[in-house]
């Protein structure tokens, strides 16, 4: 028991140093590519997507996984970077999933709804999922995200509200009906490590079963119900890993 306690303390110390390192000093590195229109692509081992329904927008993606999202007069804008899978394995079969991120907000205006955190899809069943650790809007995403509120839970060391929703519309399989899962953090953070699998495990306990993994990416999304949103969400550090 004594040696187990020492080992746990050592692991916690290594984790704290690692977190403090990229939270205190993070810069984009590696090769880069700038996209100015809707695009799904890859750079190095990283896959990415830029999508917006209007406005003048761009995103720069780096081979180290970091990226920067710039939007102007966009009604709905998202960019994301991370890992794609072949939809043949569940998250448990892939291994334990984590993500590190650092967010820097710049000149954000007119954002009515927003999600910053982890985003992805699974197939069989078709699920769109969000782990929301921050937002670019003034207010935290609330009950409007889902027609079923499962309650508040401590997941990965913080309190999150879990929602479930059924939606009909665009998906990775075309226009169809699919389910959405959300974990929304009570207090936003701008840097840290997200234990993705810990959220998946909690969802499973609630009967919210994911399918075969299609992707897991760090996400920046902003939307406006008015004339359009503008600003930059910079992620000088972003990494999804098993």
């Amino acid at each position: 028991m004594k040696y187990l306690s020492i080992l746990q303390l050592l692991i916690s110390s290594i984790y704290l140093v690692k977190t403090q390192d990229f939270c205190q000093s993070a810069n984009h590195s590696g090769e880069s590519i700038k996209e100015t229109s809707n695009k799904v692509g890859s750079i190095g081992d990283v896959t990415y997507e830029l999508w917006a329904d209007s406005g003048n927008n761009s995103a720069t993606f780096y081979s180290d996984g970091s990226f920067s999202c710039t939007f102007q007069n966009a009604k709905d804008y998202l960019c994301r970077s991370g890992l794609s899978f072949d939809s043949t394995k569940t998250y448990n079969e892939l291994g334990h999933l984590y993500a590190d991120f650092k967010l820097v907000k710049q000149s954000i205006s007119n954002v009515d709804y927003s999600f910053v955190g982890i985003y992805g899809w699974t197939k069989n069943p078709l699920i769109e999922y969000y782990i929301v650790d921050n937002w670019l809007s003034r207010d935290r995403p609330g009950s409007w995200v889902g027609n079923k509120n499962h309650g508040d839970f401590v997941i990965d060391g913080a309190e999150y509200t879990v929602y479930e929703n059924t939606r009909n519309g665009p998906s990775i399989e075309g226009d169809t009906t699919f389910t959405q899962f959300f974990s929304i953090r009570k207090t936003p953070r701008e840097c840290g490590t997200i234990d993705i699998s810990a959220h998946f495990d909690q969802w499973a306990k609630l009967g919210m079963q994911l399918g075969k993994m299609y992707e897991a990416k760090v996400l920046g999304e902003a939307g406006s119900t008015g004339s359009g949103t503008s600003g930059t969400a910079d992620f000088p550090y972003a990494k999804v890993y098993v």
Side-chain angles (χ1 to χ4, degrees):
M1 183 65 70
K2 175 181 177 181
Y3 295 108
L4 179 60
S5 298
I6 293 173
L7 178 60
Q8 289 172 332
L9 180 60
L10 179 60
I11 292 172
S12 298
S13 299
I14 293 172
Y15 169 80
L16 181 59
V17 170
K18 173 177 173 289
T19 302
Q20 288 177 337
D21 182 56
F22 72 80
C23 286
Q24 293 178 0
S25 58
N27 294 290
H28 301 288
S29 64
E31 298 179 16
S32 67
I33 184 169
K34 183 176 182 179
E35 305 289 0
T36 56
S37 59
N38 293 355
K39 178 71 178 291
V40 176
S42 63
I43 182 167
D45 296 328
V46 176
T47 57
Y48 64 80
E49 180 171 1
L50 165 65
W51 182 90
D53 63 354
S54 58
N56 298 314
N57 312 290
S58 66
T60 302
F61 300 95
Y62 296 80
S63 58
D64 68 347
S66 65
F67 60 110
S68 185
C69 315
T70 299
F71 41 95
Q72 184 177 10
N73 299 324
K75 299 285 286 185
D76 191 20
Y77 170 99
L78 66 84
C79 62
R80 61 187 189 264
S81 172
L83 298 180
S84 293
F85 307 102
D86 61 6
S87 303
T88 62
K89 295 181 179 180
T90 66
Y91 74 93
N92 281 322
E93 291 171 331
L94 286 172
H96 206 106
L97 287 164
Y98 295 92
D100 300 334
F101 82 100
K102 180 177 181 179
L103 167 68
V104 179
K105 304 176 184 180
Q106 301 172 4
S107 304
I108 305 295
S109 63
N110 301 325
V111 178
D112 296 309
Y113 64 90
S114 172
F115 307 108
V116 173
I118 303 302
Y119 175 86
W121 289 85
T122 70
K123 292 185 176 182
N124 298 316
L126 184 62
I127 306 290
E128 181 184 39
Y129 69 86
Y130 294 79
I131 300 171
V132 182
D133 263 39
N134 207 320
W135 41 92
L136 307 176
S137 53
R138 182 189 64 182
D139 299 321
R140 172 180 181 254
S143 59
W144 51 267
V145 304
N147 51 31
K148 186 173 184 179
N149 184 336
H150 286 276
D152 298 334
F153 302 89
V154 175
I155 310 173
D156 187 21
E159 193 171 16
Y160 290 79
T161 307
V162 176
Y163 295 95
E164 185 175 350
N165 190 50
T166 301
R167 182 176 176 181
N168 185 275
S171 77
I172 56 173
E173 296 183 349
D175 286 344
T176 187
T177 299
F178 57 93
T179 303
Q180 296 175 308
F181 295 166
F182 294 85
S183 286
I184 301 179
R185 207 174 196 268
K186 285 291 190 73
T187 55
R189 60 173 171 169
E190 296 185 348
C191 189
T193 297
I194 299 173
D195 186 336
I196 300 173
S197 291
H199 288 266
F200 293 172
D201 289 343
Q202 179 60 57
W203 294 347
K205 293 176 184 177
L206 297 168
M208 301 164 61
Q209 296 290 343
L210 292 166
K212 302 298 179 68
M213 293 294 296
Y214 176 82
E215 65 178 334
K217 293 183 172 69
V218 177
L219 168 75
E221 180 175 358
S224 170
T225 58
S227 60
T229 182
S230 297
T232 294
D234 187 33
F235 295 85
Y237 198 93
K239 190 179 296 293
V240 181
Y241 53 97
V242 180

